[in-house]
Amino acid sequence: MYLTSRVEEIDESPTLAISSKAKQMKNQGLDIVGLGAGEPDFETPDHIKEAGIEAIEAGFTHYTTTSGIQELKEAICNKLKRDNGLEYNTDEIIVSSGAKHSLYNTLQAICEEGDEIIVPTPYWVSYPQQIKLAGGETVVIETSEENGFKLKPEDLKAKINNKTRGIILNTPSNPTGTVYTEEELAEIAKIAVENGIYIIADEIYEKIYYDQKPVSIASLNKEIKELTILINGVSKAYSMTGWRIGYAAAESEIVSAMSKLQSHSTSNPNSIAQKASLAALQGSQEPVEKMVTAFEKRRNYILDRINRINGLSARKPKGAFYLFVNVSELIGSKIANNEVVDDNKLADVLLTEAKVAVVPGSAFGAPSYLRLSYAASLSELTKALDRIEGLLGTEA
């Protein structure tokens, strides 16, 4: 059987692979606690579901304009102005089948064979794979836990050359929960403008924060706005992961190129989901606020428990709903007769011995860490942490 090298070189999403294995074990009758999935455990708010139902009943079930319906693009423009202080026209907005699709379109539109895209670690698992699909090269910049997993300006400058096309910046971050300050973003923006490179701003977790509100880098000045391709969507904020609606905001030439690409791949995003997303952006934001309040309570609980378990430690995340746990002390140890050679093996031991599914840090370019999602109920978190504690013990 013949398969292209392009496909064979792509790795399966490790987060989805972990979730799949956990589901298989559940189907075998095992009680698995899943802390691997990157989706809220809350129901999509009723007013959003009702809008979807109304769209079906009204017969809004056919093709729409490739780049999304006009009223949704107008709502996105209003949202960006209201929440981020950004002025966009509807010809600078494209709606796609999820934020992942928006990112894919972006890289296909701006990245040529051999171009370099800078990606700080820890990174979301799909960044390097999508860069590879676009024919580009991922240039990794390692960040440190001591520095809050934040990119240092001097490290960015050192990696830029005539092949550099852009940098992906994810804030709030998956998997670390890191949120950049306005001052930190300004330093990165200055470097991008000086070198004429794009900022691909992944802001999908924008509404899930616990302290200072995240700043959109595009809002800093006109020069950086012209170089920014802003990626966002409704999946995380409105618990709409299965509805598959994301969007990008950028200069009209870039959006036009992305729309052309989309017209020959997926065509328009789901018509019903677009109407539901319109309700999400225009309707009550109270469900989002309640969800974030619940996430903050869970964050504080899981952080306290993890930092009391033998061999585990974690920093307090400022956004998103993940805890990035340092497990370096456990590498090389033996747990339940298993040699823990790396974070992948530790994740496997936790799944087989404690029946808790987590994602190894290697998937995010950061070995010796684990990502735990606290997008699970407090009762499920308690069960998971009791099991991990039972397996590893607590610090003296």
Side-chain angles (χ1 to χ4, degrees):
M1 180 182 293
Y2 174 78
L3 294 173
T4 65
S5 59
R6 178 177 63 253
V7 171
E8 290 189 324
E9 289 174 2
I10 298 300
D11 299 323
E12 181 185 10
S13 168
T15 52
L16 295 180
I18 288 288
S19 296
S20 177
K21 184 174 181 179
K23 286 176 182 176
Q24 288 177 4
M25 294 175 72
K26 281 186 177 182
N27 291 337
Q28 295 168 4
L30 298 172
D31 180 20
I32 306 296
V33 182
L35 302 185
E39 63 176 341
D41 60 316
F42 295 85
E43 280 290 317
T44 302
D46 287 342
H47 70 282
I48 299 173
K49 291 192 285 188
E50 288 164 5
I53 293 168
E54 288 173 8
I56 294 171
E57 292 177 338
F60 195 76
T61 56
H62 302 283
Y63 293 135
T64 73
T65 305
T66 295
S67 60
I69 58 176
Q70 183 70 10
E71 54 263 51
L72 178 55
K73 290 197 281 187
E74 288 174 356
I76 291 168
C77 289
N78 290 335
K79 177 261 175 244
L80 291 170
K81 184 176 182 179
R82 179 185 68 239
D83 294 349
N84 310 106
L86 286 164
E87 295 275 0
Y88 285 98
N89 299 315
T90 55
D91 64 348
E92 297 173 310
I93 304 294
I94 179 172
V95 184
S96 303
S97 300
K100 183 184 283 188
H101 186 208
S102 300
L103 177 67
Y104 177 85
N105 285 342
T106 296
L107 290 165
Q108 291 291 326
I110 69 167
C111 190
E112 296 273 18
E113 194 78 25
D115 283 346
E116 295 181 352
I117 303 292
I118 294 173
V119 180
T121 64
Y123 48 68
W124 180 52
V125 296
S126 291
Y127 294 154
Q129 308 305 321
Q130 291 201 2
I131 293 168
K132 195 183 297 182
L133 281 170
E137 300 288 335
T138 300
V139 176
V140 169
I141 297 181
E142 294 187 5
T143 67
S144 69
E145 184 174 351
E146 293 71 27
N147 192 46
F149 297 113
K150 292 181 177 180
L151 177 66
K152 293 180 179 179
E154 59 267 28
D155 292 339
L156 175 58
K157 288 180 182 178
K159 291 292 186 180
I160 294 174
N161 58 48
N162 59 6
K163 293 183 179 179
T164 306
R165 184 64 58 215
I167 174 174
I168 298 180
L169 197 64
N170 178 209
T171 176
S173 162
N174 172 11
T176 65
T178 293
V179 176
Y180 283 80
T181 66
E182 183 173 347
E183 293 73 22
E184 290 163 342
L185 292 175
E187 291 188 75
I188 294 170
K190 184 174 183 290
I191 296 168
V193 170
E194 288 173 348
N195 291 276
I197 62 173
Y198 289 115
I199 297 283
I200 304 168
D202 183 349
E203 300 180 1
I204 191 65
Y205 292 95
E206 169 206 18
K207 287 188 176 292
I208 304 174
Y209 65 93
Y210 311 109
D211 300 301
Q212 186 174 357
K213 180 182 176 181
V215 173
S216 178
I217 193 168
S219 69
L220 298 181
N221 55 61
K222 180 178 181 290
E223 290 76 20
I224 193 60
K225 179 175 179 283
E226 291 175 352
L227 288 170
T228 298
I229 303 167
L230 188 156
I231 309 290
N232 209 327
V234 298
S235 294
K236 312 299 182 179
Y238 301 99
S239 197
M240 293 176 67
T241 51
W243 295 78
R244 307 312 302 135
I245 295 291
Y247 60 84
E251 291 290 287
S252 59
E253 292 84 357
I254 296 173
V255 166
S256 177
M258 293 168 68
S259 183
K260 188 189 303 182
L261 174 67
Q262 189 162 296
S263 73
H264 291 293
S265 53
T266 62
S267 296
N268 64 274
N270 181 282
S271 59
I272 300 155
Q274 288 188 70
K275 286 289 190 179
S277 299
L278 184 62
L281 295 176
Q282 292 182 331
S284 171
Q285 301 300 298
E286 186 178 355
V288 181
E289 296 164 5
K290 287 182 177 179
M291 183 175 69
V292 173
T293 297
F295 280 148
E296 183 171 17
K297 184 177 180 180
R298 297 174 188 182
R299 177 201 65 168
N300 295 340
Y301 175 73
I302 192 173
L303 180 68
D304 178 64
R305 289 288 306 271
I306 282 293
N307 281 326
R308 289 192 277 121
I309 295 176
N310 182 49
L312 306 182
S313 65
R315 299 173 64 90
K316 180 183 286 188
K318 303 294 185 181
F321 42 72
Y322 307 105
L323 195 67
F324 207 51
V325 182
N326 188 323
V327 297
S328 57
E329 290 183 18
L330 296 179
I331 306 303
S333 67
K334 181 176 284 189
I335 300 173
N337 295 319
N338 294 282
E339 294 285 349
V340 180
V341 295
D342 56 22
D343 56 297
N344 293 288
K345 181 61 179 179
L346 180 57
D348 185 66
V349 170
L350 289 175
L351 183 56
T352 56
E353 301 293 338
K355 304 297 185 291
V356 177
V358 301
V359 185
S362 294
F364 308 97
S368 300
Y369 287 86
L370 297 176
R371 190 195 76 173
L372 278 62
S373 168
Y374 48 90
S377 67
L378 275 175
S379 61
E380 285 292 282
L381 288 176
T382 300
K383 185 193 294 186
L385 293 165
D386 286 346
R387 291 178 179 183
I388 295 173
E389 185 178 286
L391 181 66
L392 301 180
T394 55
E395 293 183 346

Coordinates of all heavy atoms in Angstrom, one line a residue, residues 197-238:
I197 N 8.0 39.6 10.9 CA 7.5 38.2 11.0 C 6.1 38.2 11.6 O 5.7 39.0 12.4 CB 8.4 37.3 11.8 CG1 8.6 37.8 13.2 CG2 9.8 37.2 11.1 CD1 9.3 36.8 14.1
Y198 N 5.3 37.2 11.2 CA 4.0 37.1 11.7 C 3.9 36.6 13.1 O 4.8 35.8 13.6 CB 3.2 36.1 10.9 CG 2.8 36.5 9.5 CD1 3.4 35.9 8.3 CD2 1.9 37.6 9.3 CE1 3.0 36.3 7.1 CE2 1.6 38.0 8.0 CZ 2.2 37.3 6.9 OH 1.9 37.7 5.6
I199 N 2.9 37.0 13.8 CA 2.5 36.5 15.1 C 1.2 35.7 14.9 O 0.2 36.3 14.5 CB 2.3 37.6 16.2 CG1 3.6 38.4 16.5 CG2 1.8 36.9 17.5 CD1 4.6 37.7 17.3
I200 N 1.3 34.4 15.1 CA 0.1 33.6 15.1 C -0.4 33.5 16.5 O 0.2 32.7 17.3 CB 0.4 32.2 14.5 CG1 1.0 32.4 13.1 CG2 -0.9 31.4 14.4 CD1 1.5 31.1 12.5
A201 N -1.4 34.2 16.9 CA -1.8 34.4 18.3 C -3.0 33.4 18.6 O -4.1 33.7 18.2 CB -2.2 35.8 18.6
D202 N -2.6 32.3 19.2 CA -3.7 31.3 19.6 C -4.3 31.8 20.9 O -3.7 31.6 22.0 CB -3.0 30.0 19.7 CG -4.0 28.9 20.0 OD1 -5.2 29.2 20.4 OD2 -3.6 27.7 20.0
E203 N -5.5 32.3 20.8 CA -6.2 32.9 22.0 C -7.4 32.1 22.4 O -8.4 32.6 23.0 CB -6.5 34.3 21.8 CG -5.2 35.2 21.5 CD -5.5 36.6 21.2 OE1 -6.7 37.1 21.3 OE2 -4.5 37.4 21.0
I204 N -7.4 30.8 22.1 CA -8.6 30.0 22.3 C -9.0 29.9 23.8 O -10.2 29.7 24.1 CB -8.4 28.6 21.7 CG1 -9.8 27.8 21.7 CG2 -7.4 27.8 22.5 CD1 -10.8 28.3 20.8
Y205 N -8.1 30.1 24.7 CA -8.4 30.0 26.2 C -8.6 31.4 26.8 O -8.6 31.5 28.0 CB -7.3 29.2 26.9 CG -7.3 27.8 26.6 CD1 -6.4 27.3 25.6 CD2 -8.1 26.9 27.2 CE1 -6.4 25.9 25.3 CE2 -8.1 25.5 26.9 CZ -7.2 25.1 25.9 OH -7.2 23.7 25.6
E206 N -8.8 32.4 25.9 CA -8.8 33.8 26.4 C -9.8 34.0 27.5 O -9.4 34.8 28.4 CB -9.2 34.6 25.2 CG -9.6 36.1 25.5 CD -10.5 36.7 24.5 OE1 -11.2 35.9 23.7 OE2 -10.6 37.9 24.5
K207 N -10.9 33.4 27.5 CA -11.9 33.7 28.6 C -11.7 32.9 29.8 O -12.4 33.1 30.8 CB -13.3 33.5 28.0 CG -13.7 34.6 27.0 CD -15.2 34.5 26.6 CE -15.6 35.7 25.7 NZ -15.6 37.0 26.5
I208 N -10.8 32.0 29.8 CA -10.6 31.1 31.0 C -9.3 31.6 31.7 O -8.2 31.1 31.4 CB -10.5 29.6 30.6 CG1 -11.8 29.2 29.9 CG2 -10.4 28.8 31.9 CD1 -11.8 27.8 29.3
Y209 N -9.5 32.5 32.6 CA -8.3 33.1 33.3 C -8.8 33.3 34.8 O -10.0 33.5 35.0 CB -7.8 34.4 32.7 CG -8.8 35.5 32.7 CD1 -8.8 36.5 33.7 CD2 -9.8 35.6 31.7 CE1 -9.7 37.5 33.7 CE2 -10.7 36.7 31.7 CZ -10.6 37.6 32.7 OH -11.5 38.7 32.7
Y210 N -7.8 33.5 35.7 CA -8.1 33.5 37.1 C -7.6 34.8 37.8 O -8.0 35.1 38.9 CB -7.5 32.3 37.8 CG -7.9 31.0 37.1 CD1 -7.0 30.3 36.4 CD2 -9.2 30.6 37.0 CE1 -7.3 29.1 35.7 CE2 -9.6 29.4 36.4 CZ -8.6 28.7 35.7 OH -9.0 27.6 35.0
D211 N -6.7 35.5 37.2 CA -6.1 36.7 37.8 C -6.3 37.8 36.8 O -7.4 38.3 36.6 CB -4.7 36.4 38.2 CG -4.5 35.3 39.2 OD1 -5.1 35.4 40.2 OD2 -3.8 34.3 38.8
Q212 N -5.2 38.3 36.3 CA -5.3 39.4 35.3 C -5.8 38.9 34.0 O -5.4 37.9 33.4 CB -3.9 40.0 35.1 CG -3.9 41.3 34.3 CD -2.5 41.9 34.3 OE1 -1.6 41.4 34.9 NE2 -2.4 43.0 33.5
K213 N -6.7 39.7 33.4 CA -7.3 39.4 32.1 C -6.2 39.4 31.0 O -5.4 40.3 30.9 CB -8.3 40.4 31.7 CG -9.0 40.2 30.4 CD -10.0 41.3 30.0 CE -10.6 41.1 28.7 NZ -11.5 42.2 28.3
P214 N -6.2 38.3 30.2 CA -5.2 38.2 29.1 C -5.3 39.4 28.1 O -6.4 39.9 27.9 CB -5.5 36.9 28.4 CG -6.2 36.1 29.5 CD -7.0 37.1 30.3
V215 N -4.2 39.8 27.6 CA -4.2 40.9 26.6 C -3.9 40.3 25.2 O -3.1 39.4 25.1 CB -3.1 41.9 26.9 CG1 -2.9 42.9 25.8 CG2 -3.3 42.6 28.2
S216 N -4.6 40.7 24.2 CA -4.4 40.3 22.8 C -3.2 41.1 22.3 O -3.2 42.3 22.3 CB -5.6 40.5 22.0 OG -5.3 40.1 20.6
I217 N -2.2 40.4 21.8 CA -1.0 41.1 21.3 C -1.4 42.0 20.1 O -0.7 43.1 20.0 CB 0.1 40.1 20.9 CG1 1.4 40.8 20.7 CG2 -0.3 39.3 19.6 CD1 2.6 39.9 20.5
A218 N -2.4 41.7 19.4 CA -2.8 42.6 18.2 C -3.3 43.9 18.7 O -3.3 44.9 17.9 CB -3.9 41.9 17.4
S219 N -3.7 44.1 19.9 CA -4.2 45.3 20.4 C -3.2 46.3 20.8 O -3.5 47.5 21.2 CB -5.1 45.0 21.7 OG -4.4 44.6 22.8
L220 N -1.9 45.9 20.8 CA -0.8 46.8 21.3 C -0.6 48.0 20.4 O -0.4 49.1 20.9 CB 0.5 46.0 21.5 CG 0.4 44.9 22.5 CD1 1.7 44.2 22.6 CD2 -0.1 45.4 23.9
N221 N -0.6 47.8 19.1 CA -0.4 48.9 18.1 C -0.7 48.5 16.7 O -0.9 47.3 16.5 CB 1.1 49.5 18.2 CG 2.1 48.4 18.0 OD1 2.1 47.8 16.9 ND2 3.0 48.2 19.0
K222 N -0.8 49.5 15.8 CA -1.2 49.2 14.4 C -0.2 48.3 13.7 O -0.6 47.4 13.0 CB -1.3 50.5 13.7 CG -1.7 50.4 12.2 CD -1.8 51.8 11.6 CE -2.3 51.7 10.1 NZ -1.2 51.2 9.3
E223 N 1.1 48.5 14.0 CA 2.1 47.7 13.3 C 2.0 46.2 13.6 O 2.1 45.4 12.7 CB 3.5 48.2 13.7 CG 3.8 49.6 13.1 CD 3.1 50.7 13.9 OE1 2.7 50.5 15.0 OE2 3.0 51.8 13.3
I224 N 1.8 45.9 14.9 CA 1.8 44.5 15.3 C 0.4 43.9 14.9 O 0.3 42.7 14.5 CB 2.1 44.2 16.8 CG1 2.3 42.7 17.0 CG2 1.0 44.7 17.7 CD1 3.5 42.2 16.3
K225 N -0.6 44.7 14.9 CA -1.9 44.2 14.4 C -1.9 43.7 13.0 O -2.4 42.6 12.6 CB -3.0 45.2 14.6 CG -4.4 44.8 14.1 CD -5.4 45.9 14.4 CE -6.8 45.5 14.0 NZ -6.9 45.7 12.5
E226 N -1.1 44.4 12.1 CA -1.0 44.1 10.7 C -0.2 42.7 10.6 O -0.4 42.1 9.5 CB -0.3 45.2 10.0 CG -1.1 46.4 9.8 CD -0.4 47.6 9.2 OE1 0.8 47.4 9.0 OE2 -1.0 48.6 8.9
L227 N 0.6 42.4 11.5 CA 1.4 41.2 11.4 C 0.8 40.0 12.2 O 1.3 38.9 12.2 CB 2.8 41.4 12.0 CG 3.7 42.3 11.1 CD1 5.0 42.6 11.8 CD2 4.0 41.5 9.8
T228 N -0.3 40.3 12.9 CA -0.9 39.3 13.8 C -2.1 38.5 13.1 O -2.9 39.1 12.4 CB -1.5 39.9 15.1 OG1 -0.4 40.5 15.8 CG2 -2.2 38.8 15.9
I229 N -2.0 37.2 13.2 CA -3.2 36.4 12.7 C -3.8 35.8 14.0 O -3.2 34.9 14.7 CB -2.7 35.3 11.8 CG1 -2.0 35.9 10.6 CG2 -3.9 34.4 11.3 CD1 -1.2 34.9 9.7
L230 N -4.9 36.3 14.4 CA -5.5 36.0 15.7 C -6.4 34.8 15.5 O -7.3 34.8 14.6 CB -6.3 37.2 16.2 CG -6.9 37.2 17.6 CD1 -7.1 38.6 18.1 CD2 -8.2 36.4 17.7
I231 N -6.2 33.8 16.3 CA -7.0 32.5 16.3 C -7.8 32.4 17.5 O -7.3 32.5 18.7 CB -6.1 31.3 16.1 CG1 -5.1 31.4 15.0 CG2 -6.9 30.0 16.0 CD1 -5.6 31.4 13.6
N232 N -9.1 32.1 17.4 CA -10.0 32.0 18.5 C -11.2 31.1 18.1 O -11.2 30.6 17.0 CB -10.4 33.3 19.1 CG -10.7 33.3 20.6 OD1 -11.2 32.3 21.1 ND2 -10.5 34.4 21.3
G233 N -12.1 30.9 19.0 CA -13.3 30.1 18.7 C -14.2 30.0 19.9 O -14.0 30.6 20.9
V234 N -15.2 29.1 19.8 CA -16.2 29.0 20.8 C -16.1 27.7 21.7 O -16.8 27.6 22.6 CB -17.6 29.1 20.2 CG1 -17.9 30.4 19.5 CG2 -17.9 27.9 19.2
S235 N -15.2 26.9 21.3 CA -15.1 25.5 21.9 C -14.9 25.6 23.4 O -15.6 24.9 24.2 CB -14.0 24.7 21.3 OG -14.3 24.4 19.9
K236 N -13.9 26.3 23.9 CA -13.5 26.2 25.3 C -14.4 27.1 26.1 O -14.9 26.7 27.2 CB -12.0 26.6 25.4 CG -11.0 25.9 24.5 CD -11.0 24.4 24.6 CE -10.0 23.8 23.7 NZ -9.9 22.4 23.8
A237 N -14.6 28.4 25.7 CA -15.3 29.3 26.5 C -16.8 28.9 26.7 O -17.4 29.2 27.8 CB -15.2 30.7 25.9
Y238 N -17.4 28.3 25.7 CA -18.8 28.1 25.7 C -19.1 26.6 25.8 O -20.2 26.2 25.6 CB -19.5 28.7 24.5 CG -19.3 30.2 24.5 CD1 -18.3 30.8 23.6 CD2 -20.0 31.1 25.3 CE1 -18.1 32.1 23.6 CE2 -19.8 32.4 25.3 CZ -18.9 32.9 24.4 OH -18.6 34.3 24.4

